[in-house]
Amino acid sequence: MLPKILTTHQLRLDVPSLADADEVTVLCQDPEIQKWTTIPVPYGREDAVSFIQDVALPGWEKDSPTWFIRATTTDSSPILGAIGLTKSAPSIAEIGFWLAPEARGRGVMIEALQKVVDFGFAELGLEAIQYSCYVINGEPNWPSAKVAWRAGFTFEGKLRKNLVTNQGEAIGSLVGSLLKDDPRSPQHAWFGPSLVRPAIPDSRDPEALVRQFHETYGLPIVSDGPNSDRERVHMRMALVAEEFSELVGAVYGYDARSLIEEAFAKGVASDTGARDTVETADALADLVYVIYGMALELGIPMRDVLAEVQASNLSKLGSDGKPIYREDGKVLKGPGFFPPDIPRVLGLD
């Protein structure tokens, strides 16, 4: 493939040249670029020359293009960052990018990324573009991941120690993908940290979501072994009954819901004190199983619904990221609270 310059509303994506080596050398002294990319550390001019001469320019011949990102004001505008596609198969490529500190937070990379993925699908014949970022000490490169999320990448989860840095350290990665026909907009709720809540665990792991909720709001997590004869079991049974009644009402209507609520009240009144922990565990597992089975048969994407609900639950936090409690201990909703937008997640809005 012949090198090709791309332009957007505010950007010019230039083909690298050896004349850029000095500028790239300076930019790659940035600690964040050194932390989250595969560049050598320390980084010298010879590394910039090697990248341009031995990687970036030859890559075009292999349908693996690299661009330097500039503002469109003039051809000699400073380099704002770099972005490239590396083909791993005839119809699959990996995306990689970095930004200079002064260009961050301005929407530069999302604009460049959208242009490059469109180029990859249209000009390179790609069917899928893969994304990954480092996970260091349990934390992914959240700013990078958010750019990919905004561009429509669907995140698949974390891989453990599948990458090795230039310093020889084995680390994990957060991975996602964008298919040719996917919309170029977020496909699920944002799962990383925000100003008022922590990052959300993988929504394919419901226990991790609930554990985070308990830890965030100070709810019990016992560690003294299984035992269904506990003080809060009645409250928990009431919550299960409430949600089941709501489900019955959603499927069969209000009258059916009322019958379930009445039946549960009679069941509580008939409590004999029997507390079979083994049967309780078995029933809870079966509930999880049949709930996911129902979602599968109804076409409901539980992973995305759970992520949306978790984001809503954690939006109750105060502006300082901490729970707000009433005098009696009840958790209050913070100023950033929002209800879950289930119609959006289901594509029904």
Side-chain angles (χ1 to χ4, degrees), residues 52 72 83 140 163 169 171 220 232 236 248 251 299-300 309 324 340:
I52 295 168
T72 55
I83 187 168
L163 298 176
E169 178 186 4
I171 58 173
R232 288 170 60 90
R236 283 291 161 187
V248 170
V251 175
I300 293 174
V309 169
I324 303 173

Side-chain angles (χ1 to χ4, degrees), residues 2-293:
L2 293 175
K4 183 175 182 179
I5 294 172
L6 304 179
T7 58
T8 70
H9 175 66
Q10 64 172 338
L11 302 175
R12 174 186 173 96
L13 277 59
D14 264 344
V15 177
S17 87
L18 288 174
D20 299 317
D22 289 337
E23 195 172 356
V24 171
T25 303
V26 172
L27 291 172
C28 287
Q29 304 310 307
D30 176 59
E32 290 298 298
I33 294 176
Q34 293 188 357
K35 177 179 179 180
W36 296 110
T37 71
T38 58
I39 67 170
V41 179
Y43 193 90
R45 189 179 188 280
E46 65 279 7
D47 297 307
V49 170
S50 176
F51 169 71
I52 295 168
Q53 185 173 268
D54 301 331
V55 179
L57 294 178
W60 284 90
E61 300 173 7
K62 304 173 184 177
D63 287 349
S64 295
T66 296
W67 295 268
F68 286 151
I69 304 169
R70 303 180 188 272
T72 55
T73 51
T74 66
D75 292 352
S76 58
S77 297
I79 294 175
L80 302 178
I83 187 168
L85 291 166
T86 302
K87 266 198 171 184
S88 55
S91 61
I92 302 172
E94 298 178 5
I95 190 86
F97 50 84
W98 55 259
L99 267 182
E102 61 272 16
R104 296 168 191 160
R106 293 165 40 190
V108 169
M109 188 51 76
I110 182 65
E111 188 169 326
L113 179 59
Q114 289 172 333
K115 187 70 175 182
V116 167
V117 298
D118 286 344
F119 177 87
F121 291 128
E123 302 295 331
L124 299 181
L126 299 178
E127 295 294 329
I129 296 176
Q130 307 294 329
Y131 165 88
S132 68
C133 67
Y134 285 176
V135 176
I136 299 176
N137 296 324
E139 287 295 312
N141 184 350
W142 288 121
S144 172
K146 194 163 191 177
V147 169
W149 169 79
R150 288 179 60 197
F153 281 76
T154 295
F155 282 81
E156 328 289 354
K158 293 180 182 178
L159 300 177
R160 298 185 299 168
K161 294 190 180 298
N162 67 310
L163 298 176
V164 177
T165 68
N166 284 345
Q167 292 73 47
E169 178 186 4
I171 58 173
S173 64
L174 177 68
V175 297
S177 62
L178 181 71
L179 305 185
K180 183 177 181 179
D181 295 328
D182 286 347
R184 306 295 193 265
S185 58
Q187 297 304 293
H188 49 74
W190 172 238
F191 54 95
S194 69
L195 294 176
V196 295
R197 66 160 174 79
I200 296 173
D202 187 345
S203 55
R204 290 172 294 189
D205 184 357
E207 182 181 346
L209 299 179
V210 178
R211 181 176 293 274
Q212 181 187 48
F213 184 82
H214 276 235
E215 291 173 343
T216 299
Y217 293 106
L219 300 175
I221 301 176
V222 301
S223 57
D224 59 353
N227 181 6
S228 60
D229 191 13
R230 298 180 186 271
E231 181 182 355
R232 288 170 60 90
V233 69
H234 305 288
M235 182 272 290
R236 283 291 161 187
M237 285 294 295
L239 290 177
V240 171
E242 178 182 353
E243 297 305 329
F244 177 64
S245 299
E246 183 178 318
L247 176 61
V248 170
V251 175
Y252 296 130
Y254 178 78
D255 290 345
R257 175 175 177 170
S258 296
L259 290 173
I260 295 299
E261 292 171 343
E262 292 172 7
F264 177 72
K266 291 180 180 179
V268 172
S270 302
D271 180 18
T272 63
R275 304 287 185 265
D276 189 323
T277 301
V278 173
E279 288 298 321
T280 299
D282 181 62
L284 288 173
D286 288 342
L287 280 172
V288 172
Y289 204 91
V290 298
I291 286 169
Y292 271 86

